[in-house]
């Protein structure tokens, strides 16, 4: 019993630094805050339930429940609201010049997603996007992955009077899962009067300010009052390319980890979430479709 108490006491003194305040990083920080000395480093001051963000665009009040300040759940840890720009064997350097010492480091920077720093700014952003949707009679969505499909569906259901056009460069929607799911999704969107165009690209660089005319790669012309770009986001690992972990990145910019999520070649550095090279099959995400 005494040995166990001693181990718990020693564990509380271990300095754990978590970089990234998304779903994975926030969960680790919250879970360890009473068993270790935890510091969360994140460019923004809040955690956001990412799968609720598109809903918040069409219903801004939804964002008040899905955007949560880190201080609301991390009550026994420190928060550094600044991007991490470098790491050494025992320190993390932030953009504001702080050096945070660690015994264990967890990297959870996921994908790049430039969002405002404060919760208030994020909620205001949702209000602005909602106003953009409300004031438009026609809307163009570029990208037929999960984000583009969901946004098209949200707008079509809440604003059925608006003309929604979805353009996707691929031959089917949701290409990362089976064709059956993509076909069902396309049929459902069409039933909601969404104009789905496959195998086409939109040249957004050619659109002048104030113009409502968009040209596709096939020569089609699309008229829309506004557009939303819903293509993939790059992995948030560029900042690691000049650090001690530069050789731990694979060709896709993912951190290579072992079965314990320990970064390969490191003893006390771990990685979790979308930045790891762990591949999740589509059947694990959508088992009912396969």
């Amino acid at each position: 019993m005494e040995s166990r108490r001693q181990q718990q006491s020693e564990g509380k003194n271990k300095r754990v630094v978590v970089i990234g305040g998304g779903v994975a990083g926030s969960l680790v920080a919250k879970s360890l805050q009473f068993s270790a000395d935890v510091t969360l480093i994140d460019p923004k001051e809040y955690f956001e339930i990412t799968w609720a963000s598109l809903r918040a665009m069409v219903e801004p009040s939804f964002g008040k429940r899905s955007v949560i300040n880190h201080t609301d759940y991390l009550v026994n840890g420190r928060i550094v609201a600044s991007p991490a720009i470098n790491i050494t064997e025992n320190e993390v350097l932030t953009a504001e010049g702080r050096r945070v010492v660690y015994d264990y480091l967890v990297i959870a920077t996921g994908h790049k997603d430039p969002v405002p720093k404060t919760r208030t700014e994020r909620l205001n952003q949702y209000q602005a996007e909602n106003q953009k949707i409300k004031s438009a009679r026609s809307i163009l969505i570029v990208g037929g992955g999960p984000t583009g499909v969901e946004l098209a569906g949200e707008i079509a259901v809440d604003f059925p009077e608006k003309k929604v056009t979805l353009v996707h460069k691929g031959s089917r929607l949701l290409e990362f899962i089976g064709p059956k799911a993509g076909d069902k999704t396309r049929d459902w969107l069409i039933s909601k009067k969404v104009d789905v165009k496959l195998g086409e690209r939109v040249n957004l660089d050619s659109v002048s300010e104030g113009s409502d005319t968009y040209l596709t790669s096939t020569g089609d012309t699309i008229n829309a009052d506004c557009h939303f770009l819903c293509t993939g986001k790059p992995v948030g690992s560029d900042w690691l390319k000049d650090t001690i972990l530069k050789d731990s990145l694979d060709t896709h910019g993912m951190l290579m980890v072992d079965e314990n999520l320990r970064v390969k070649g490191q003893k006390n550095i771990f990685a979790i979430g979308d930045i790891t090279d762990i591949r999740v099959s589509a059947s694990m995400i959508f088992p009912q479709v396969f």
Side-chain angles (χ1 to χ4, degrees):
M1 178 67 72
E2 188 63 32
S3 175
R4 182 179 298 176
R5 288 176 179 172
Q6 183 178 356
Q7 290 176 356
Q8 291 175 342
S9 177
E10 291 174 351
K12 288 182 179 180
N13 294 327
K14 292 296 184 182
R15 296 164 296 191
V16 177
V17 174
V18 181
I19 304 176
V23 175
S26 295
L27 179 58
V28 168
K30 181 179 184 294
S31 300
L32 296 179
Q33 62 180 317
F34 295 108
S35 57
D37 182 358
V38 174
T39 300
L40 175 65
I41 299 176
D42 190 38
K44 60 190 189 318
E45 298 175 355
Y46 55 89
F47 160 76
E48 180 169 10
I49 301 174
T50 51
W51 50 87
S53 61
L54 298 176
R55 184 63 206 163
M57 290 172 62
V58 298
E59 185 184 344
S61 61
F62 203 77
K64 294 179 180 179
R65 291 175 285 167
S66 60
V67 181
I68 305 160
N69 281 324
H70 290 315
T71 52
D72 288 345
Y73 68 87
L74 194 60
V75 296
N76 196 46
R78 284 175 294 278
I79 299 162
V80 178
S82 178
I85 60 173
N86 198 6
I87 61 173
T88 68
E89 286 81 1
N90 57 10
E91 284 184 335
V92 178
L93 176 65
T94 70
E96 64 180 15
R98 292 187 61 173
R99 293 184 178 274
V100 185
V101 179
Y102 68 85
D103 296 306
Y104 294 97
L105 176 64
V106 180
I107 301 175
T109 47
H111 288 82
K112 283 185 179 179
D113 191 10
V115 294
K117 182 173 183 177
T118 69
R119 179 177 185 269
T120 298
E121 290 172 328
R122 183 58 165 151
L123 295 180
N124 288 341
Q125 188 178 59
Y126 282 137
Q127 289 284 356
E129 290 171 337
N130 178 255
Q131 188 57 42
K132 180 179 174 181
I133 293 171
K134 281 185 173 180
S135 61
R137 291 172 298 177
S138 53
I139 299 168
L140 169 63
I141 296 174
V142 181
T147 302
V149 164
E150 183 179 347
L151 181 58
E154 292 281 8
I155 296 174
V157 169
D158 279 43
F159 302 99
E161 74 282 1
K162 299 185 184 299
K163 177 174 175 53
V164 179
T165 303
L166 187 153
V167 178
H168 182 54
K169 65 180 181 181
S171 59
R172 59 184 175 85
L173 300 175
L174 304 175
E175 291 169 291
F176 74 106
I177 56 177
K180 182 179 178 182
D183 292 342
K184 281 188 174 181
T185 300
R186 181 173 179 270
D187 291 343
W188 184 87
L189 288 173
I190 291 174
S191 75
K192 298 299 180 182
K193 296 185 170 46
V194 175
D195 185 6
V196 179
K197 296 180 180 295
L198 300 176
E200 299 187 46
R201 298 173 183 266
V202 178
N203 185 4
L204 296 176
D205 294 332
S206 66
V207 181
S208 59
E209 186 175 352
S211 174
D212 62 354
T213 301
Y214 299 82
L215 298 177
T216 74
S217 55
T218 61
D220 286 347
T221 298
I222 299 173
N223 293 317
D225 296 324
C226 67
H227 76 272
F228 292 95
L229 182 61
C230 299
T231 54
K233 300 171 184 176
V235 181
S237 63
D238 281 349
W239 67 283
L240 293 171
K241 293 179 180 178
D242 295 318
T243 72
I244 60 172
L245 297 184
K246 61 183 179 182
D247 295 328
S248 300
L249 296 168
D250 67 11
T251 56
H252 302 288
M254 308 287 194
L255 276 173
M256 296 179 285
V257 296
D258 63 17
E259 65 275 12
N260 297 311
L261 298 180
R262 183 182 283 106
V263 175
K264 291 183 178 180
Q266 303 295 324
K267 293 182 178 180
N268 61 338
I269 301 178
F270 297 79
I272 55 174
D274 291 342
I275 199 171
T276 70
D277 65 341
I278 296 175
R279 296 290 179 264
V280 179
S281 69
S283 59
M284 294 172 63
I285 305 173
F286 301 100
Q288 71 280 7
V289 178
F290 296 86

